Amino acid sequence: MIQSQDRSYYIGASDTSMVVGNWNTKTFDNWWLEKLGLYKNNFSSEATKAGNNYEHKILIALNIPNLKLDTQIIIDRLRVNLDGDTEDCIYEVKTYKKGKEFKVSKQYWRQAQVEMYAKKVNKLFIVAYALEENDYQNYFNEIDLKRIQLIPIEYDEEFIENEYLPKLNILTECLKKGIFPCKQQQK
């Protein structure tokens, strides 16, 4: 669990959908203002608080040899925070409300791709954990191993090379200059 919530001046793996998405929206403009350090998004919810508070406990409960927590990788203006990793594998924790089906969203898949790119590994598991109602009020509950799903994600080099990196490079240069990207640059 990375302590600093400042998301300015760097592009993270969780920003991947913004990088490859539509740059012609108010959502993109607000996100870019945050990257430039001109806007603060203070979004917080019970779900995000619970997920952040359970993240380490979930990973520790897996009892993975040589597991490191909270590795940060910086490549120019790309800053990737890994929940947990070993030498050859990444573990990305996602919590969700018990009773709902967990699905790997396009956003989670894209984030996983960039995490694997940054660490230079081809192995990542999304660690999905179903939170019960009491888990949102009490962050000291024991981890129930039966509620953990390990979902493998395959690395997609084509997505990284052809879709992600060209757009990341444009945004990196704009971030260094402190300017908005030209809308036509996205194409």
Side-chain angles (χ1 to χ4, degrees), residues 4-21:
S4 173
Q5 300 302 311
D6 186 2
R7 298 172 52 81
S8 56
Y9 311 115
Y10 287 96
I11 297 169
S14 62
D15 295 321
T16 303
S17 285
M18 294 301 290
V19 172
V20 299

Side-chain angles (χ1 to χ4, degrees), residues 80-138:
V80 175
N81 297 318
L82 305 177
D83 294 341
D85 66 299
T86 61
E87 186 176 318
D88 65 347
C89 188
I90 300 168
Y91 298 89
E92 175 64 34
V93 177
K94 300 296 180 191
T95 57
Y96 66 102
K97 192 170 198 160
K98 188 174 180 185
K100 295 185 177 186
E101 181 183 358
F102 180 82
K103 294 186 185 226
V104 176
S105 67
K106 188 179 276 190
Q107 183 169 329
Y108 290 166
W109 181 87
R110 288 171 171 167
Q111 176 183 355
Q113 296 304 314
V114 173
E115 288 179 6
M116 287 186 279
Y117 162 75
K119 185 165 171 64
K120 303 198 181 339
V121 298
N122 294 322
K123 191 173 174 186
L124 182 145
F125 288 97
I126 289 185
V127 181
Y129 186 70
L131 293 173
E132 294 179 340
E133 202 57 47
N134 184 37
D135 295 326
Y136 293 97
Q137 277 71 54
N138 180 3

Side-chain angles (χ1 to χ4, degrees), residues 35-52:
K35 296 297 151 187
L36 293 174
L38 301 172
Y39 173 77
K40 291 284 183 216
N41 180 353
N42 295 320
F43 174 79
S44 182
S45 70
E46 292 304 312
T48 57
K49 287 181 206 171
N52 287 338

Side-chain angles (χ1 to χ4, degrees), residues 7 22-23 37 56 97 100 147 151 157 169 173-174:
R7 298 172 52 81
N22 184 352
W23 296 359
H56 284 175
K97 192 170 198 160
K100 295 185 177 186
R147 290 192 261 155
I151 304 163
E157 186 175 0
N169 290 336
E173 290 308 308
C174 292

